[in-house]
Amino acid sequence: MNAFGGIVTLTCIEAFRSIRRNKLRSGLAAVAISVGIAAVVCVLAIGRAGSQRAEEQLRNLGDNFVWVEAGSRAPSGVRTGTHGTTRLTLEDADAILREVALMKRVTPNVDGTAQVIFGDRHWRTHYRGVGPDYLTIKRWPLAEGAPYTEEDVRKLSSVCLIGETVRERLFGEASPVGQLLRVDSQLMLIVGVLASKGQSVTGQDQDDTILLPWSTAQKKIRGRNQSWLDDIIGSAASAETVNPAIDQITVLLRQRHQINPGEEDDFNIRRPDEIIKAQIETSHTVAALLLSVASIAIVVGGIGLMNVMLVSVNERTREIGLRLAVGATDAAVQLQFLGEAMWLTLLGGISGLLLGSIGCVVLGRWLAWSVTLPLESFIVGPGVAIAVGLFFGFYPARRAARLDPIDALRHE
């Protein structure tokens, strides 16, 4: 066993020396492999980062999110109803929570845009009038302060929570909790600041918002004569019950709104999670396609390696003949050339990891994503490189081992 190990070691050393004697040719062969490995590493990193980003958006979307909108939706996806649609009411929200056992939380929603003012600073933002359960439904924690309560909803309290963007625009780095904020013509006490959520799946700034009790938004911001809702937002009992819950809500609201068979709904129920799940599936498909393209680059690099090794065998025919004539076995000659091929691809694999790491940093900054080098790349990269060396180096090595010593010594 020790003798065999010594032979392998000496063979690998000799293979490395042969590579050093042809630096340019060896370097070009290694570069071809390194580009392929780097491409694979970058594709894996970007694909994983994209999937993680979409999955994070899915988590931020809400707890088994169910979203009932006032107004119908055309097949193209355009909402045909407006904020003036009056058929969705608080009684509908109460009925959904009471009669649809698959729903565990429901909150009315009244929303729109408003001018918010603090001192001499103005900002146009989106307001959303909701119940306290909205924070749980949307999985939205507070960065500071405390949420308002059901008592605030009953009393039409002038309190609000503000998003991070609104805080930055009106208060800078100062804490806004306890300050009075003018929302259109109403003064609101800021009781908390929402944790930052970033952009939504549609690219909207989720932090550019204020939350207040739905009753306050309905009576004080909208006007006392307006009693309808824009949306009903809720959570199903589990991910598996979302679709059955939607079916039951549809039947219930059609009954309550006295919609006859064949008539169009005056509401629509959306599932934004389906959009994000479709994005995740698409990202997986694109990643697989790009991985296939990157794999082709590795195959092309392997073909280039085979070409380099065949040229090397042709140039060193007399050397090979001499080795065979003085007693070298076919296996030893074959092992030497396989060793050269594996050294080349291993060097290419290591440099490919380095190049891929740089590519991940550059792409991460360009996309504004958190792109990290997958840990398995440190195993997969060199492993694939060695496998390429064995596969594409086998034929040249076998050809060298099968040379006839006499014919090889006569080779010019």
Side-chain angles (χ1 to χ4, degrees), residues 43 282-293:
V43 167
T282 301
S283 68
H284 289 165
T285 302
V286 172
L289 178 62
L290 293 176
L291 188 61
S292 300
V293 174

Side-chain angles (χ1 to χ4, degrees), residues 52-75:
Q52 289 175 346
R53 184 178 176 85
E55 287 167 1
E56 182 180 354
Q57 289 178 333
L58 186 60
R59 288 191 298 270
N60 288 339
L61 183 63
D63 179 23
N64 305 319
F65 196 49
V66 177
W67 179 7
V68 183
E69 283 185 324
S72 60
R73 185 171 294 273

Side-chain angles (χ1 to χ4, degrees), residues 198-356:
Q199 289 188 338
S200 69
V201 65
T202 57
Q204 296 177 329
D205 183 2
Q206 298 180 89
D207 301 321
D208 190 4
T209 189
I210 63 171
L211 303 184
L212 58 154
W214 66 265
S215 56
T216 304
Q218 191 178 62
K219 300 300 182 182
K220 293 184 177 181
I221 304 298
R222 282 282 184 85
R224 294 186 180 277
N225 295 327
Q226 299 189 20
S227 59
W228 61 85
L229 304 177
D230 294 316
D231 309 274
I232 297 173
I233 297 170
S235 289
S238 66
E240 292 74 23
T241 59
V242 170
N243 283 330
I246 289 175
D247 294 338
Q248 293 182 23
I249 292 171
T250 301
V251 173
L252 175 64
L253 291 182
R254 286 183 64 88
Q255 291 175 348
R256 289 183 57 82
H257 295 184
Q258 299 179 350
I259 300 173
N260 296 320
E263 292 182 349
E264 187 181 56
D265 295 338
D266 59 3
F267 62 91
N268 71 94
I269 304 178
R270 300 183 64 188
R271 286 202 59 185
D273 61 314
E274 292 180 342
I275 300 174
I276 300 177
K277 288 177 180 178
Q279 285 186 341
I280 294 174
E281 291 298 324
T282 301
S283 68
H284 289 165
T285 302
V286 172
L289 178 62
L290 293 176
L291 188 61
S292 300
V293 174
S295 300
I296 293 173
I298 293 180
V299 171
V300 171
I303 294 172
L305 169 72
M306 180 185 291
N307 183 57
V308 168
M309 295 303 299
L310 287 173
V311 171
S312 179
V313 170
N314 186 62
E315 290 180 347
R316 296 160 60 190
T317 300
R318 289 175 61 85
E319 174 191 332
I320 296 168
L322 182 59
R323 287 178 180 273
L324 293 171
V326 297
T329 63
D330 293 355
V333 173
Q334 185 170 341
L335 184 61
Q336 178 185 347
F337 280 88
L338 275 178
E340 291 183 25
M342 290 172 60
W343 265 114
L344 282 173
T345 53
L346 182 59
L347 291 174
I350 294 172
S351 60
L353 282 178
L354 179 61
L355 186 61

Side-chain angles (χ1 to χ4, degrees), residues 26 33 48 65 70 91 151 219 282 286 331 347 365:
S26 301
I33 299 297
R48 175 169 298 182
F65 196 49
E91 289 73 22
E151 184 69 15
K219 300 300 182 182
T282 301
V286 172
L347 291 174
R365 291 181 178 178

Side-chain angles (χ1 to χ4, degrees), residues 97-111:
L97 187 60
R98 182 178 63 251
E99 299 183 31
V100 181
L102 298 178
M103 295 295 292
K104 61 182 179 181
R105 290 184 184 88
V106 167
T107 178
N109 176 82
V110 178
D111 63 82

